[in-house]
């Protein structure tokens, strides 16, 4: 039985393949590579393709096997680094795939000793080489530290030291009609309109102190210096951050504080290499390879 070198069909006999019709290797001498024949025994190579007579098909002539494409080989990988109170690495936790969860139990990265963490607290997703952070409905929220001035959105929660502040838009007040007898009312004329507010929240989410924001007014917050001071908060720097007026918007900017300023995650936010996250009482740093 002769195997056709071209199509692989088994042939009982004959000079040509019964399937593809090309010449079969035979005692008369046909080229095992291209089927040319009969061959001249005085020649060491096939005159048609140049293959050495009697040699097996060269390995180099065989088509190279296509390598498998995998996200693991081409995509970005990363890890979460747990930071201690001094900001130094305490432990490292590789991201497990396209989605990695963080929590107290039942999470890919679990910290069972942290009572401030929800069982499933937060999630980091990887899509097209970018990393995204999402809160999973945790009780205490997931926070990311701003690395550049951040334009505040209505209902944003801000972490300054250990104080949680809520930003609310109030809108522009409507015009006041004149009094019937044209008597003017006493009161401050500058600033003329408060269009936003910051409210200090207690642990039960109830409001305590409030400071109002108006166009053209910058509010500075700190432990020792500023328009709003918290002398009882040791985690707050002397001059910690400021809220700047930007036309009708307000921008949060860190003032070179030691512990930074964080925003509570709403929906999904992109995080980058070196971003710091707070889940429960665990400070985590994202490192992307």
């Amino acid at each position: 039985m002769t195997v056709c070198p071209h199509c692989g069909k088994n042939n009982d006999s004959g000079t040509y393949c019964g399937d593809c019709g090309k010449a079969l290797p035979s005692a008369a001498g046909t080229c095992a590579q291209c089927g040319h024949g009969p061959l001249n025994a005085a020649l060491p190579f096939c005159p048609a393709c140049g293959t050495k007579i009697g040699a097996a098909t060269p390995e180099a002539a065989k088509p190279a096997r296509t390598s498998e494409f995998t996200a693991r080989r081409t995509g970005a990988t990363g890890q979460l680094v747990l930071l201690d109170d001094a900001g130094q690495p305490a432990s490292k936790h590789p991201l497990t795939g396209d989605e990695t969860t963080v929590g107290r139990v039942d999470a890919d990265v679990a910290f069972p000793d942290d009572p401030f963490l929800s069982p499933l607290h937060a999630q980091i997703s990887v899509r097209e080489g970018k990393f995204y952070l999402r809160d999973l409905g945790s009780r205490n929220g997931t926070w990311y530290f701003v690395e550049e001035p951040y334009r505040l959105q209505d209902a944003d929660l801000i972490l300054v030291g250990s104080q949680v502040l809520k930003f609310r838009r109030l809108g522009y007040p409507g015009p006041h009609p004149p009094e019937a007898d044209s008597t003017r009312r006493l009161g401050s004329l500058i600033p003329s309109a408060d269009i936003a507010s910051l409210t200090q929240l207690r642990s039960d989410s109830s409001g305590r102190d409030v400071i109002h924001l108006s166009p053209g007014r910058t509010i500075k917050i700190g432990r020792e210096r500023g328009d709003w001071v918290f002398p009882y908060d040791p985690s707050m720097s002397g001059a910690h951050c400021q809220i700047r007026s930007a036309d009708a918007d307000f921008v949060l900017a860190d003032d070179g504080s030691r512990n930074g300023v964080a925003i509570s995650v709403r929906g999904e936010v992109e995080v980058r290499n070196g971003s710091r996250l707070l889940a429960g009482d665990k400070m985590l740093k994202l490192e992307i390879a």
Side-chain angles (χ1 to χ4, degrees), residues 118-140:
S118 293
L120 279 177
H121 197 104
Q123 174 182 282
I124 294 181
S125 304
V126 185
R127 297 193 303 273
E128 298 179 352
K130 293 184 178 181
F131 290 72
Y132 299 91
L133 175 65
R134 177 181 293 275
D135 182 70
L136 296 179
S138 66
R139 180 178 295 270
N140 291 311

Side-chain angles (χ1 to χ4, degrees), residues 13 21 26 41 61 65 67 93 105 111 123 131 135 146 184 233 244 253:
S13 61
S26 66
R65 183 177 180 181
S67 300
H93 307 269
V105 293
F111 300 100
Q123 174 182 282
F131 290 72
D135 182 70
V146 298
R184 295 183 62 181
D233 189 345
R244 300 197 298 257

Side-chain angles (χ1 to χ4, degrees), residues 222-236:
R223 190 182 73 250
E224 300 170 351
R225 302 181 298 279
D227 304 283
W228 204 4
V229 295
F230 298 86
Y232 49 82
D233 189 345
S235 60
M236 190 179 295

Side-chain angles (χ1 to χ4, degrees), residues 201-236:
L201 298 183
R202 299 184 178 94
S203 59
D204 62 358
S205 296
S206 63
R208 189 174 182 271
D209 294 338
V210 180
I211 193 167
H212 290 86
L213 306 172
S214 57
R217 185 185 187 190
T218 295
I219 298 296
K220 296 186 177 182
I221 302 173
R223 190 182 73 250
E224 300 170 351
R225 302 181 298 279
D227 304 283
W228 204 4
V229 295
F230 298 86
Y232 49 82
D233 189 345
S235 60
M236 190 179 295

Side-chain angles (χ1 to χ4, degrees), residues 22-152:
K22 294 189 177 181
L24 296 172
S26 66
T30 56
C31 178
Q33 177 68 20
C34 68
H36 177 78
L39 297 174
N40 187 340
L43 298 176
F45 301 98
C46 172
C49 68
T51 300
K52 186 176 181 180
I53 296 174
T57 302
E59 189 67 24
K62 297 180 181 179
R65 183 177 180 181
T66 303
S67 300
E68 293 184 7
F69 178 85
T70 63
R72 182 175 294 275
R73 295 183 61 181
T74 59
T77 59
Q79 62 181 357
L80 290 173
V81 180
L82 176 65
L83 303 179
D84 60 19
D85 293 341
Q88 298 301 311
S91 61
K92 297 182 178 181
H93 307 269
L95 301 183
T96 56
D98 292 341
E99 294 181 349
T100 301
T101 55
V102 179
R104 192 175 73 249
V105 293
D106 301 327
D108 300 312
V109 179
F111 300 100
D113 62 330
D114 187 348
F116 297 100
L117 275 174
S118 293
L120 279 177
H121 197 104
Q123 174 182 282
I124 294 181
S125 304
V126 185
R127 297 193 303 273
E128 298 179 352
K130 293 184 178 181
F131 290 72
Y132 299 91
L133 175 65
R134 177 181 293 275
D135 182 70
L136 296 179
S138 66
R139 180 178 295 270
N140 291 311
T142 304
W143 305 79
Y144 70 99
F145 286 80
V146 298
E147 300 170 6
E148 55 190 18
Y150 170 81
R151 193 172 294 269
L152 290 166

Side-chain angles (χ1 to χ4, degrees), residues 149-169:
Y150 170 81
R151 193 172 294 269
L152 290 166
Q153 307 295 321
D154 184 45
D156 270 344
L157 296 179
I158 310 167
L159 184 64
V160 183
S162 62
Q163 306 303 311
V164 177
L165 310 177
K166 187 171 187 177
F167 174 80
R168 293 308 307 260
R169 299 289 312 204

